[in-house]
Amino acid sequence: MTLEEKLMQMTQLIAACLTDRAQATITGPTGRVDFTEAQIASVGSTLNLIGAAEMKAIQKAHLERDPHAIPLLFMMDVIHGYRTIYPIPLAMGATFDTSLMEKCCAMAARESAAAGVQVTFGPMVDLVRDARWGRVMESTGEDPYLNCLMSRAQVRGFQHGNEDESDNISACVKHYAAYGAAEAGRDYTEVNLSEHALREFYLPAYRAAIDEGVDMLMTAFNLLNGIPTAGHKWLINDILRGEWGFDGTIITDYSSLVQMKTHGYTETAFDCGRIGLETTTDIEMMSATFLEAGAECIKRGYLTEADIDKSLRRILDLKEKHGLFDNPYGKASEELEDKLFLSEEHRAICRTAAEKSMVLLKNDGVLPIKDGTKNVAVIGPLAKCGMIGFWSCAGRAEEAVSAYDGISAIVGEENVRYAVGCSSAVRAAADPDMIAAAKEAAEGAEYAILVLGEEREMSGESNSKTDISLPEAQRELIRAVSAVNKNTVVVLYTGRPLALADVIDDAPAYMIAWQPGTEGGTAIANLLFGKCDFTARLPMSFPYYTGQCPIFYNRTRTGRPKPKNDGKHYIYTSSYLDSPVGPLFPFGYGLSYTRFEIGEVSLSSDKMARGGSVTAKATVKNTGSRRGTTLVQLYINDRFASIVRPMQELRGFMHVELDAGEAREVSFEITEDMLKFHTASGEYSAESGEFGVYVALSAESGKAATFVLE
Ligand code: GLC
């Protein structure tokens, strides 16, 4: 292979560049790049195709053009489903169910392989704490421990979830690193983090994916402490390749190398390419700096052709892993697509995931809807839409079950009264006529179900918001409908936590449906009518007000904490004049149709020897009137440390299902490993001293028992 052919093998173009010559031109921060026929013939991989037929056509044409007949690798953002869509990752985080996560990814892999895709650009494991950022929908939340478990589960699901290896696809963990800490919740910006914060909170989930054997990693768009993560030597060469020993394939994000220029880091495209190559990036997505800089880098001694060959080897090994040299069409099959897409088996997986992801925030005795109910109002601008998420790949909203459809399937459409109620626009004002029509639909109905929140495109990439409360139109509608129907239930679609302080008292019941996917409406109806119960818990804190963002449970105590969270202002304490400090609904919170209480935690000992363990026990009781499931959570607090530790850190959880009135003792073993952190001396170890232990039903709650690590 010539050097140019090698560099093109390391270049990834969208499928349109390969099928439509007019699009074989990239425009972007460095201006146009016109590829020659020969260069296009040597491209190594492509992204964003749709379907087996297209894949086979592209591959066939490519093999006829490429002088070495090296098959293309096909990649896609299969983040929460390919065509049968499961809930967004933030909703999957709410399930606290890694085996369900794995099952969903395996299903997505089957459909992707049938469509001719070999690599997904997932999991996205960025730790997220700022709900203004649209991409929190793509993460599994604010907790490093949960994110690590979900990171591993997604890699297992995509790469090993199916017995037939040909149904599995490569995963690509992203966005390395710390994209979730983007300044002010905006995309493509600056991240400033100490090494301690990085290693303690932001890096573990990427490491978890690598330890799970992820095939690929994607760098990010953000700066980290002033240096682009797309070419960050410390992050990539020292930590990723060095400390962690990652020898998989690194891909950039979409033209992120040329964006180094726009960031103000490099002056020339040459330097963008040089830095990308020096930081062992193997594939450049949708920019051409490798092509422009590669030969010059070798000529000027920045790297050797052997370095290029290392990247080439990683790319060819990945193609070999997927058997493309023997069968360049992989598992692509229109027949298999028809069999798998929207199949009842796949729908059932998505339905279960949706039911287990939705969170009941408030229920003042209104839910579940009584059996035999025959007259229901379904109101809202999102009531009839199929709510799939931002990264729904080949999914189609019109194929997803709406809340209206789901509810109609239970009570009969003839028993449903519908009204739009208001606009769903981001700053919609109330419309009196629409409100009047909604009130008319609600009056006399046994229940009024409002379906509100965010449209699909109000979260996801580049969809940040400065206000995460409900728009005025929706707040007005809630108040108006609740005034005429005491059984008003608010169902909220959202890709992010919402600030609900202004509305939470205006209706007796609220549930978060997230962006639930193909079976969302059925899941909503099954939960509302009590055919199944709520089991999900919040993977991200829900603030009172946007002004509290970023807000997260695993924060430190401060030097002057408020004496109590009673809404009063305590001067000279760490607090706000106009809001409580903590969230309206904390991480780990969620209700179900029964009630649970948890007793005090007891410890097997008040001392832990080095290498030893302590067992924490507590009794959880179902004090309600029906069987139900709760999530018992274990948190620890290292009381005094060389770097101040969070008030609580999740270290374990378990679902506990109990009959009405049943009580059960649960126990967690606490080991020295669970107490380790990156200390001031740079070690990763547990420091002697006092630890608090919480066994609770949500963060920011529970009474601690303490032990001393010797
Ligand atoms: C986007 C996203 C990234 C995605 C890629 C390809 O800009 O940042 O997550 O995988 O481009 O679509």
Side-chain angles (χ1 to χ4, degrees):
M1 290 173 78
T2 64
L3 179 61
E4 180 176 274
E5 288 165 342
K6 293 177 181 178
L7 295 169
M8 282 312 295
Q9 193 60 222
M10 296 165 66
T11 303
Q12 179 175 95
L13 300 178
I14 54 173
C17 288
L18 306 180
T19 51
D20 173 355
R21 281 296 161 272
Q23 298 199 44
T25 296
I26 298 178
T27 55
T30 52
R32 289 171 67 91
V33 178
D34 294 300
F35 293 95
T36 65
E37 279 299 316
Q39 287 162 350
I40 291 288
S42 301
V43 164
S45 59
T46 186
L47 73 154
N48 292 359
L49 77 109
I50 290 288
E54 188 183 23
M55 184 268 185
K56 290 192 280 188
I58 289 174
Q59 189 73 291
K60 181 173 181 300
H62 174 76
L63 292 170
E64 287 160 1
R65 276 198 311 269
D66 183 338
H68 304 285
I70 299 174
L72 286 164
L73 202 53
F74 290 80
M75 306 191 189
M76 189 91 185
D77 289 287
V78 184
I79 307 299
H80 49 95
Y82 180 85
R83 174 70 175 273
T84 318
I85 303 301
Y86 54 89
I88 55 174
L90 190 59
M92 293 308 293
T95 68
F96 283 80
D97 185 336
T98 52
S99 56
L100 181 57
M101 181 85 254
E102 216 173 306
K103 200 170 175 186
C104 288
C105 294
M107 177 206 71
R110 288 195 291 276
E111 293 195 0
S112 303
V117 172
Q118 289 87 40
V119 179
T120 175
F121 296 129
M124 185 274 219
V125 300
D126 304 340
L127 182 87
V128 290
R129 294 173 156 178
D130 190 335
R132 294 172 298 176
W133 191 44
R135 299 194 76 165
V136 300
M137 53 72 61
E138 213 176 330
S139 164
T140 49
E142 71 187 43
D143 180 71
Y145 175 80
L146 177 62
N147 285 355
C148 285
L149 294 175
M150 287 291 180
S151 171
R152 285 176 174 270
Q154 293 178 83
V155 171
R156 285 197 303 271
F158 285 129
Q159 297 193 172
H160 310 290
N162 298 293
E163 268 180 52
D164 179 344
E165 268 305 312
S166 66
D167 285 334
N168 295 323
I169 59 175
S170 289
C172 174
V173 65
K174 68 184 184 184
H175 306 85
Y176 188 71
Y179 194 24
E183 190 176 81
R186 286 196 315 279
D187 278 286
Y188 323 117
T189 59
E190 170 78 272
V191 166
N192 281 300
L193 284 173
S194 66
E195 179 171 349
H196 174 74
L198 264 171
R199 289 182 180 278
E200 201 60 44
F201 303 107
Y202 287 88
L203 293 184
Y206 307 106
R207 174 70 192 265
I210 284 153
D211 290 347
E212 197 63 43
V214 72
D215 286 335
M216 281 184 67
L217 172 138
M218 183 187 290
T219 51
F221 284 127
N222 55 289
L223 300 178
L224 174 65
N225 302 332
I227 298 172
T229 48
H232 202 294
K233 283 193 173 59
W234 177 69
L235 268 183
I236 303 170
N237 301 65
D238 299 349
I239 293 183
L240 181 64
R241 295 286 197 203
E243 270 182 49
W244 298 353
F246 179 61
D247 190 32
T249 303
I250 298 176
I251 188 170
T252 71
D253 204 338
Y254 203 107
S255 78
S256 61
L257 284 182
V258 290
Q259 287 161 35
M260 288 190 194
K261 211 161 155 269
T262 317
H263 273 300
Y265 186 66
T266 56
E267 286 188 54
T268 63
F270 169 77
D271 281 336
C272 296
R274 171 179 62 77
I275 291 165
L277 290 168
E278 285 180 331
T279 51
T280 74
T281 297
D282 303 304
I283 300 177
E284 176 178 12
M285 182 195 293
M286 281 304 282
S287 56
T289 65
F290 285 2
L291 184 66
E292 292 170 29
E296 188 66 15
C297 282
I298 293 172
K299 197 166 134 211
R300 290 163 58 179
Y302 288 109
L303 51 118
T304 66
E305 188 152 354
D307 295 319
I308 300 289
D309 290 346
K310 278 186 198 151
S311 286
L312 198 62
R313 167 58 59 199
R314 284 193 275 263
I315 296 166
L316 298 179
D317 282 353
L318 200 49
K319 296 183 178 186
E320 173 62 22
K321 173 175 182 171
H322 289 283
L324 292 177
F325 290 107
D326 299 325
N327 169 13
Y329 303 105
K331 192 117 185 192
S333 152
E334 295 91 315
E335 192 187 338
L336 190 54
E337 285 179 325
D338 293 345
K339 179 169 168 279
L340 293 176
F341 291 174
L342 302 172
S343 68
E344 190 33 53
E345 183 205 346
H346 285 190
R347 280 183 174 276
I349 293 168
C350 293
R351 188 163 53 245
T352 301
E355 288 167 353
K356 288 177 178 278
S357 68
M358 297 180 184
V359 183
L360 183 61
L361 295 181
K362 177 182 179 184
N363 180 26
D364 287 354
V366 170
L367 293 174
I369 293 175
K370 290 185 183 53
D371 284 343
T373 295
K374 276 298 173 212
N375 178 355
V376 175
V378 176
I379 300 165
L382 302 179
K384 289 196 170 183
C385 80
M387 187 51 78
I388 57 178
F390 183 86
W391 290 102
S392 285
C393 203
R396 297 171 191 168
E398 64 274 17
E399 291 172 344
V401 180
S402 69
Y404 177 88
D405 294 343
I407 293 161
S408 300
I410 291 182
V411 299
E413 189 164 10
E414 67 283 2
N415 296 312
V416 177
R417 308 154 81 167
Y418 169 70
V420 178
C422 69
S423 153
S424 56
V426 74
R427 286 200 185 284
D431 174 314
D433 296 341
M434 294 171 88
I435 294 265
K439 286 172 72 172
E440 192 185 335
E443 269 167 331
E446 293 173 79
Y447 290 85
I449 300 166
L450 290 168
V451 185
L452 302 170
E454 290 189 335
E455 294 171 0
R456 173 182 173 190
E457 306 287 338
M458 290 183 182
S459 58
E461 183 171 357
S462 83
N463 295 334
S464 300
K465 289 172 82 175
T466 60
D467 181 354
I468 61 171
S469 65
L470 294 182
E472 182 47 34
Q474 295 189 23
R475 297 207 292 261
E476 278 279 320
L477 182 63
I478 293 171
R479 283 192 284 270
V481 167
S482 292
V484 299
N485 190 311
K486 64 178 176 43
N487 290 334
T488 294
V489 178
V490 181
V491 178
L492 293 172
Y493 285 133
T494 183
R496 57 161 45 91
L498 297 171
L500 299 173
D502 297 338
V503 294
I504 197 66
D505 297 330
D506 293 342
Y510 280 83
M511 66 172 276
I512 299 296
W514 308 108
Q515 294 172 336
T518 304
E519 285 291 303
T522 308
I524 288 168
N526 287 346
L527 287 163
L528 290 178
F529 285 81
K531 293 180 179 306
C532 59
D533 194 355
F534 290 89
T535 59
R537 297 292 182 267
L538 293 180
M540 260 189 102
S541 307
F542 274 48
Y544 286 85
Y545 305 103
T546 308
Q548 293 180 273
C549 293
I551 181 170
F552 44 97
Y553 86 91
N554 46 2
R555 59 186 185 275
T556 55
R557 183 168 288 102
T558 84
R560 288 193 180 184
K562 280 180 72 171
K564 41 183 184 281
N565 200 7
D566 55 7
K568 289 192 192 116
H569 180 59
Y570 292 85
I571 194 158
Y572 305 131
T573 61
S574 176
S575 56
Y576 299 106
L577 278 172
D578 55 355
S579 164
V581 169
L584 177 59
F585 297 109
F587 175 87
Y589 171 87
L591 301 177
S592 62
Y593 286 146
T594 185
R595 286 183 310 285
F596 294 92
E597 283 174 8
I598 193 154
E600 303 232 334
V601 54
S602 64
L603 300 179
S604 57
S605 167
D606 60 3
K607 287 186 184 54
M608 184 194 288
R610 286 288 168 178
S613 66
V614 165
T615 301
K617 291 181 189 259
T619 298
V620 57
K621 185 172 183 183
N622 178 340
T623 56
S625 56
R626 64 182 268 174
R627 187 172 176 77
T629 302
T630 190
L631 186 78
V632 183
Q633 301 149 48
L634 169 72
Y635 296 93
I636 60 141
N637 167 228
D638 186 345
R639 289 269 192 269
F640 307 96
S642 59
I643 294 181
V644 174
R645 310 296 301 131
M647 291 187 287
Q648 287 184 321
E649 294 180 88
L650 186 69
R651 284 293 179 270
F653 55 82
M654 65 173 79
H655 289 98
V656 178
E657 187 171 8
L658 299 171
D659 279 329
E662 185 185 355
R664 187 179 307 158
E665 182 178 80
V666 296
S667 67
F668 293 94
E669 189 188 17
I670 300 167
T671 63
E672 185 181 342
D673 272 353
M674 293 157 78
L675 313 179
K676 291 181 175 176
F677 73 104
H678 295 85
T679 66
S681 60
E683 292 161 14
Y684 184 66
S685 61
E687 295 179 341
S688 300
E690 189 178 293
F691 287 81
V693 178
Y694 302 79
V695 177
L697 301 181
S698 70
E700 312 209 24
S701 72
K703 205 158 150 302
T706 56
F707 70 87
V708 171
L709 172 65
E710 290 174 344

